[in-house]
Amino acid sequence: MLKILPLLFTCLLACRPGPGWRPPTFDDQFRNAAVVLVGTVAQTNGDQNTGSATFSNVQWYKGSGPRTVFVDGFRSSAACGVDTPPVGEKIIVFGCVEKRTNVVTLNSFTIGAGATYVNENIEEELKSKRTQRTTPQNRPNGRCKKEY
């Protein structure tokens, strides 16, 4: 019974941002992430509540790394996270790097932050950020800025 109570509590409350909350902008997420990449979801692990995904054909916009990347930290949007995306979707990831394992984790510095589907607007934003990729102040150290 005690194990069921937290789940029931989460389901009843769902994700309700407080007064004054605003969704993170592209610039907010880019600035707070140590790495930014775009890739296609090749495989998912876990379930809707907590999951991870392997991304293929990865393009790096902040930081650098391999063409295939494992990303952890997806969790249900009902719990104020980002749902694990379906296989085949093109996603932008705003992340942090776990130095010991080289696993990218979502930078969930605020509700709904860390990943989003790629669309025309996002692609234009990325093009404008690509020039920042090699500037010294944007070299990631793996850590992300946390604002909560």
Side-chain angles (χ1 to χ4, degrees):
M1 179 67 172
L2 289 178
K3 290 181 181 180
I4 296 173
L5 286 177
L7 178 62
L8 180 60
F9 184 71
T10 300
C11 291
L12 290 175
L13 290 181
C15 181
R16 294 194 178 119
W21 178 84
R22 63 172 182 78
T25 65
F26 179 90
D27 285 337
D28 291 338
Q29 294 193 74
F30 197 94
R31 182 178 57 256
N32 286 301
V35 295
V36 177
L37 61 95
V38 172
T40 302
V41 180
Q43 179 182 349
T44 60
N45 304 301
D47 58 27
Q48 184 182 359
N49 295 320
T50 57
S52 58
T54 301
F55 287 77
S56 62
N57 302 316
V58 172
Q59 295 177 322
W60 294 85
Y61 290 88
K62 190 174 182 184
S64 61
R67 298 272 298 151
T68 300
V69 177
F70 181 78
V71 178
D72 198 13
F74 292 98
R75 59 190 173 106
S76 171
S77 56
C80 298
V82 176
D83 293 325
T84 304
V87 170
E89 289 291 336
K90 191 173 180 182
I91 303 290
I92 182 169
V93 173
F94 302 92
C96 313
V97 179
E98 175 57 50
K99 289 293 185 186
R100 288 172 279 146
T101 62
N102 286 327
V103 170
V104 174
T105 57
L106 297 184
N107 182 24
S108 52
F109 69 94
T110 187
I111 297 168
T116 190
Y117 291 93
V118 173
N119 60 38
E120 288 177 15
N121 293 337
I122 293 290
E123 287 181 345
E124 288 301 315
E125 292 277 359
L126 284 171
K127 285 177 188 174
S128 72
K129 299 291 186 188
R130 188 178 281 280
T131 57
Q132 296 181 14
R133 192 164 127 166
T134 57
T135 59
Q137 67 269 23
N138 288 317
R139 289 196 182 119
N141 59 11
R143 292 173 285 158
C144 288
K145 182 177 178 185
K146 301 289 185 180
E147 290 191 350
Y148 51 84

